[in-house]
Amino acid sequence: MPSCFAFRRSATVPLAFLLVLGCARVEVGQGATSDPTEAAPNDPALHSPPTGRNVDWSVYLGDSGRRHYTALDQINRDNVHLLEQAWVYRSGEPRGTMYASPLVVDGVLYGLSPQLVAFAVNAATGEELWRYNPGVGGAQRGLMWWSGPTGPRLFYTAGQWLIAVDARTGTAVEDFGDRGRLNLRPDTGRKGAFSVTVPGVVFEDKLILGFSTSEDADSHPGTVRAFSAVDGALVWQHDNIPAPGAPGSETWADGSLEKAGGANVWTGMALDEERGILFAPTGSPTPDFYGANRLGDNLYGNSLLAIDARTGKLIWHYQVIRHDLWDRDNAAPPTLVKLDRDGRRIDAVALTTKSGHLYVFDRETGESMYPTVEVETLPSTLPGEVPAPTQRLSTVAFSRQEFEITNRTEEARKYVEEQIKDWDQRPWAPPRIGTVLFYPWYDGGAEWGGSAFDPADNRLILNANDAAGILRLTEIPIGSSNAGIYAKHCGACHGQLLEGTDAAGPLLGVMGRLGYRETMKVIREGRGRMPAFTHLSDIEWRAITAFLFSPKPEVDEPSTEFGYVHGGYIYLRDHENLPGNSPPWGTLNSIDLATGEIVWKVPFGDYPTHPDLGFGAVNYGGPVITASGLIFIAATPDRKIRAYDKRDGTVLWEAELTAAGFSTPAVYMVDGRQYVAIAAGGGRMGPPSGSEYFAFALPEDVSGN
C-alpha cells in the first residue's frame, strides 16, 4: 500500500479511485455536519464561507439536527438571479415516485432512482460513477453515510430491507447482515404492512431507525431500534407502546395493550450529538379513526420522545394529541434550534404538526417554550368510542384553525356550500358514520419535508399546507365480504369503489390495463409509495382479487359482524378541482422562535391547471437556508424550484423542472463552486413522474472558477 499523503482531490477524481490507491487521508474541506448554531447570532464567523474548496452535504437534511442549513454564501441575493443549470442526471425509470434528498461527500453525489437503484455521480458534472440495484423497491426519502475501519458505507432502506453499499465501488457490503442486506420486519406476530421510508439517524457506529406500518388493527406496535453499522446486529430497542404495568400503561384501558399497534416513528428523527439525545416523533395508535378498543390517552402515541441514543432509554416525552381519532401523526422531523429567553440562550427542539401548531421544548428537560391551552373535544356517536375530553395545544399556530369557505369565485363558493351543507363542521368533531369537515386536513399544517433553522436570527423557515379534508366513516361488512376486505386494505388510498383518492390512483379496470400477473406482482411487491402486501392471507387474497375483477364493483352481502372503514384521504375541492377553503392553500413562513410570532407569510407555489392564481398549493418537501440569506425550496406541484429572500419572502430566482421536486435540496461545494441539487420525481397531485436530478450553480466566471 502506498504511503499516505495529504491530497486535495479535484472534481474529476472520484473518491473511490483515491481509496483504492490506499490514500488514508483525503482532505475535503469543511463538512456540513458541524453545529452552525454554536456561534452567537452576531458572530461574523457564522456568515463566513467555509475555508475548504469542497463542502459536503453528508447527512439527510443537512445534519443530524435536521436544521436544513448551510454556511455556504457564494450564491447570494445579488447574484442568485444568474443561477444556471450545471448538469442533469437521468437516474433511470420514470415509473413511480422519487422523494430522495441526495448526499454529497467529497465531490461525489449519491442518490436513488424511483425504483431505489442507488447511484453515484460526479457532483460537479453529473457523470455517473456507479449504480447498484438491490432488486427491491418502495418509497424512500434519502440515504445514510457512515465511515468505519473498512471504509465508507452508504445505507438506505427499501421496503423492509436495510441495504448496505460500499460507497467506493457501488457493491454490496458482504459482511453486513445477509450479504449486504438486513430484514427489518419485526417478529411481532402481526400481519400488517411494514416498510422504512425515511433515513434513520447515524450516531457513532449505530443506525437508528423507525418504521411505517398499516393503520388498521393488524399494524405492528411502534419501536425505535438501533443497529450496528458494522454488521447489522441489534444494539437496543425502545418500545413506543408500554408493556402492561410499565410507565404510560395507565393511559390505556385494561386489556388494550396486548393488541395495541402503531405509535410508530415513520418520519425523520433528530439527534443532539453532543448530548447523545435522540428526538423521535411518534404517530397514531391504530386503528386510526376508531379507538373503542384502545380507550385512554394512549401514551406514547402522537408524542415527541427524547431517548438516550446510546441506550434507548426514555428521558422525557410530550404527547401532542391524546387518544388520536384524526390521524394526527407527528409527520415532520424535529429541528434542533436555539432561542433567546430572559437573557439566556436555550438549546431547544422544534416540532411542527399536522394540526398547524408549533411546539418548542428545552432539549434536556422537555419544558415547553410556549404556553399551551386545553381545548374541549366533542363526544362520539360511535358505539364504545370515548374521545379524550380535551386536547392540549400550543398557542403558536402557523396554519389557520377555522375553516373559511372559498371566496375565489361565486361559482366555486356555491359549489362547495352545496357539498358541505349536511356535514359536521365543528372543530374537533370526532369521526362518525357520515361526513366531518376536517381542517386542517390529513397532510397538515406541516408535513414530512420538515423546517429549516436560521442561526443568524433564530428563525424557523417552514412551508405549510392550508387545505380542508373530508373525514368519512362507513360501516361495512368484514370477514367473508369481498368489499369489506378490499376496503380494509386498499380503500383508504384507492377509494371504496376503486375510484381513487388524492393518495393513489383509481383501480377501475386495473386488470385490463396491467393483466392478472402484473397486478398481483404490484400487490405482493409494492410499487412507488405503495408498500408490499405480502402479509395478506389466502382468504384476503381471494377477496381482493375478486373485487378487482368485478366488472362493476359492488358491496356484497354483509355478514352479521360489522366494522368501520375510513372513506379515503380526500381533500375538499371546488368545481375546478381547487381547494374548497379560502386561499392561501400553501404558504412559506418565517417564525421568530423567541416569541412564536410569524415574521412573514407568503403564498407558496401554484397548481399547474391554474398557474397564475398566486394562491399557493399543497406542497411536499422541505427548504434549505444559506448563510447568505437565501431559502432554496421546490416542493410545489408547479414543477418549480425557487430562491426566496429570507428577510421578507420575496422570490429572487426560479427554474422549472421536468417533474415536481417533492424532496429537499442539497447544497454543497466542489472545487470552490457552490451547487444546489434537487430530485425531480413528481408522482402526486397530477403532474408527471420523473427520474432526473438537477444541479444549479453560478456561471464559472461569476463563481471564480
Side-chain angles (χ1 to χ4, degrees), residues 288-291 323-326 376-382 385-388 391 424-438 471-473:
D288 267 358
F289 302 99
Y290 181 60
H323 190 66
D324 186 11
L325 301 175
W326 302 271
E376 291 187 2
T377 56
L378 300 172
S380 174
T381 58
L382 300 179
E385 181 61 272
V386 182
Q391 298 291 346
D424 190 339
Q425 300 181 33
R426 297 172 298 172
W428 293 101
R432 65 171 188 165
I433 302 300
T435 304
V436 173
L437 179 59
F438 187 42
L471 175 53
R472 180 183 295 127
L473 291 188

Side-chain angles (χ1 to χ4, degrees), residues 422-635:
D422 296 325
W423 295 1
D424 190 339
Q425 300 181 33
R426 297 172 298 172
W428 293 101
R432 65 171 188 165
I433 302 300
T435 304
V436 173
L437 179 59
F438 187 42
Y439 192 85
W441 77 315
Y442 303 98
D443 286 3
E447 257 297 321
W448 47 260
S451 52
F453 174 60
D454 181 6
D457 50 19
N458 292 347
R459 291 182 183 174
L460 195 73
I461 306 300
L462 170 68
N463 53 302
N465 294 326
D466 206 329
I470 299 171
L471 175 53
R472 180 183 295 127
L473 291 188
T474 305
E475 193 175 42
I476 66 160
I478 60 174
S480 61
S481 166
N482 295 341
I485 293 174
Y486 162 83
K488 175 182 176 182
H489 294 285
C490 315
C493 290
H494 292 286
Q496 300 301 309
L497 295 176
L498 313 180
E499 72 274 18
T501 73
D502 292 318
L507 293 179
L508 286 168
V510 66
M511 291 292 188
R513 296 195 303 272
L514 297 182
Y516 178 84
R517 182 174 298 178
E518 183 66 12
T519 301
M520 294 301 100
K521 180 181 179 181
V522 172
I523 296 174
R524 291 185 185 278
E525 299 178 6
R527 176 178 293 179
R529 292 194 300 137
M530 176 179 166
F533 280 77
T534 56
H535 58 284
L536 297 175
S537 68
D538 289 340
I539 293 176
E540 291 169 327
W541 273 103
R542 287 195 294 268
I544 291 174
T545 303
F547 195 75
L548 291 176
F549 264 125
S550 302
K552 182 181 179 182
E554 297 178 352
V555 176
D556 47 355
E557 188 67 25
S559 67
T560 57
E561 187 178 1
F562 290 86
Y564 300 101
V565 168
H566 178 228
Y569 299 95
I570 305 171
Y571 72 79
L572 177 64
R573 292 183 170 94
D574 67 16
H575 66 298
E576 293 187 276
N577 212 34
L578 292 172
N581 57 291
S582 61
W585 304 314
T587 62
L588 187 65
N589 305 268
S590 175
I591 304 173
D592 185 333
L593 287 168
T595 64
E597 295 179 355
I598 296 178
V599 180
W600 53 256
K601 178 190 293 283
V602 296
F604 178 46
D606 279 302
Y607 288 98
T609 56
H610 297 72
D612 300 318
L613 283 181
F615 290 161
V618 171
N619 52 88
Y620 302 90
V624 171
I625 189 164
T626 73
S628 56
L630 299 176
I631 302 165
F632 286 103
I633 186 169

Side-chain angles (χ1 to χ4, degrees), residues 225-308:
R225 295 178 292 175
F227 299 90
S228 167
V230 178
D231 58 14
L234 180 66
V235 179
W236 56 254
Q237 174 172 314
H238 178 274
D239 295 325
N240 302 343
I241 294 179
S249 62
E250 70 280 1
T251 66
W252 295 76
D254 290 345
S256 62
L257 282 169
E258 289 78 4
K259 298 180 180 180
N264 51 301
V265 181
W266 63 264
T267 189
M269 297 176 284
L271 173 71
D272 184 326
E273 295 186 29
E274 180 181 352
R275 294 176 172 87
I277 301 178
L278 177 77
F279 298 98
T282 64
S284 310
T286 56
D288 267 358
F289 302 99
Y290 181 60
N293 64 341
R294 53 172 177 86
L295 297 181
D297 284 353
N298 303 150
L299 282 175
Y300 294 94
N302 304 87
S303 300
L304 181 63
L305 308 180
I307 298 172
D308 188 318

Side-chain angles (χ1 to χ4, degrees), residues 165-179:
V165 182
D166 189 318
R168 300 165 296 187
T169 61
T171 57
V173 179
E174 295 288 334
D175 58 355
F176 180 87
D178 183 10
R179 302 183 66 182

